[in-house]
Amino acid sequence: MKTRAITAFFFTIVMLGSILLGAYTFTFFYLILSLVALFEFFGIIKTAGIRPHRNIALFAAGLIFLLTAGYHLLQFENKFMLLIVPLIFSVFVSELYKKEKIPFSNIAYTFVGFVYVTVPFCFFYSLGFIQQAAEYNFHLPLSFLLMLWASDTGQYLFGVKFGKRRLFERHSPKKSWEGFFGGIFTTLLVSFLISLFFTEIHPLIFGGMAILIVGFGTLGDLVESMLKRSLDVKDSGTFLPGHGGFLDRFDGLLIAAPVVYTYLYLLLK
């Protein structure tokens, strides 16, 4: 617990700094974070004997993220996204030169990495620009993380104290319905406090955002648990002592970020 607490303290400071220190710090930090998370994903998959095209995928993922950043920061035209197309199809060509028994499994899991890890991080990054095009605003990315942390904390505390009914025992035996509803309570409370400071967004919109983060963040946690259990892996990595890997820490973001971005885009645009 001491190791977990120390890691959490310093990691929280770094996370907050990455959001508060401006657009380019935000861009660089989440570019690196998304690539490390993707690297961890491919590491887990390799334990099953599958060999995804890691190097091509990491290069393509970095390009996807940078093109997303260029679209927001520098008003890149959408046509530049076509630069990804040759990289995508190079995965198929590259597999021709590998002597593998399950070539299309290697190809498939390469693309799963993009969809499961890279795309959600791009959606989270885009939260910083959803209010005003080409102008970075830390309010929504910060709000998202604070609510995600509130959800995790609330579910843990209420689950330990009151948890009796298992939420999804097959994939996560420790999660309970009592913890889930406790997470909703704490996240709604945090969303209300956030609305007192970031007054340009209606409190009800923050409330809806809180519900989505708890619901889909929990599903993200369960999906990653399903992935690890299916491959008999305990943690996605060892970058964070006491916490596992970055993929473990951001599993809730992977499912929640695209949904929350869609919700806010429809309401704020």
Side-chain angles (χ1 to χ4, degrees):
M1 286 300 295
K2 182 179 180 180
T3 301
R4 286 177 61 88
I6 293 173
T7 302
F9 174 76
F10 285 105
F11 187 63
T12 300
I13 292 175
V14 172
M15 291 290 295
L16 293 177
S18 70
I19 291 176
L20 298 175
L21 292 176
Y24 289 98
T25 302
F26 182 59
T27 301
F28 177 77
F29 183 81
Y30 280 94
L31 168 63
I32 300 301
L33 192 59
S34 65
L35 292 177
V36 173
L38 184 60
F39 183 86
E40 289 181 346
F41 173 77
F42 288 139
I44 294 174
I45 296 302
K46 287 183 72 173
T47 63
I50 298 168
R51 297 293 182 265
H53 296 261
R54 187 183 64 188
N55 294 336
I56 295 174
L58 289 172
F59 184 78
L63 182 60
I64 292 170
F65 194 96
L66 288 173
L67 287 172
T68 302
Y71 173 78
H72 291 302
L73 290 171
L74 306 173
Q75 283 75 63
F76 278 6
E77 295 182 33
N78 290 332
K79 65 181 181 181
F80 288 108
M81 286 292 180
L82 292 173
L83 292 171
I84 300 165
V85 173
L87 280 172
I88 295 297
F89 283 92
S90 70
V91 173
F92 293 91
V93 176
S94 177
E95 192 65 33
L96 290 172
Y97 297 92
K98 296 173 67 177
K99 296 179 180 180
E100 297 286 347
K101 295 181 179 179
I102 46 174
F104 271 84
S105 292
N106 299 336
I107 293 169
Y109 277 100
T110 302
F111 288 111
V112 169
F114 292 136
V115 175
Y116 181 55
V117 180
T118 304
V119 171
F121 271 103
C122 288
F123 273 110
F124 173 75
Y125 174 81
S126 296
L127 288 175
F129 302 89
I130 199 171
Q131 291 174 273
Q132 290 181 309
E135 290 189 24
Y136 172 65
N137 188 325
F138 68 85
H139 290 182
L140 285 174
L142 179 60
S143 299
F144 183 99
L145 287 182
L146 291 176
M147 291 186 208
L148 190 63
W149 294 339
S151 173
D152 290 342
T153 303
Q155 289 194 52
Y156 174 76
L157 294 177
F158 279 84
V160 168
K161 183 69 175 178
F162 305 107
K164 293 181 180 179
R165 299 170 183 83
R166 298 302 97 184
L167 178 66
F168 213 125
E169 190 167 7
R170 180 156 56 94
H171 294 304
S172 186
K174 294 182 180 180
K175 286 189 176 296
S176 65
W177 281 106
E178 292 82 0
F180 177 76
F181 288 113
I184 291 178
F185 170 76
T186 56
T187 309
L188 283 173
L189 178 60
V190 168
S191 76
F192 173 73
L193 295 175
I194 290 171
S195 71
L196 300 179
F197 294 92
F198 302 155
T199 56
E200 74 276 15
I201 296 176
H202 196 280
L204 289 179
I205 294 179
F206 275 125
M209 184 176 169
I211 297 296
L212 291 176
I213 287 173
V214 177
F216 287 94
T218 301
L219 289 173
D221 191 344
L222 291 170
V223 166
E224 204 227 359
S225 294
M226 177 176 65
L227 171 66
K228 291 190 295 185
R229 283 178 177 274
S230 68
L231 300 174
D232 196 25
V233 174
K234 184 177 184 296
D235 294 316
S236 66
T238 57
F239 282 100
L240 301 171
H243 290 265
F246 287 108
L247 200 62
D248 295 318
R249 292 304 90 208
F250 289 93
D251 50 9
L253 179 149
L254 300 180
I255 304 296
V259 176
V260 169
Y261 180 87
T262 302
Y263 163 77
L264 292 172
Y265 187 89
L266 292 174
L267 290 178
L268 299 179
K269 287 291 186 178

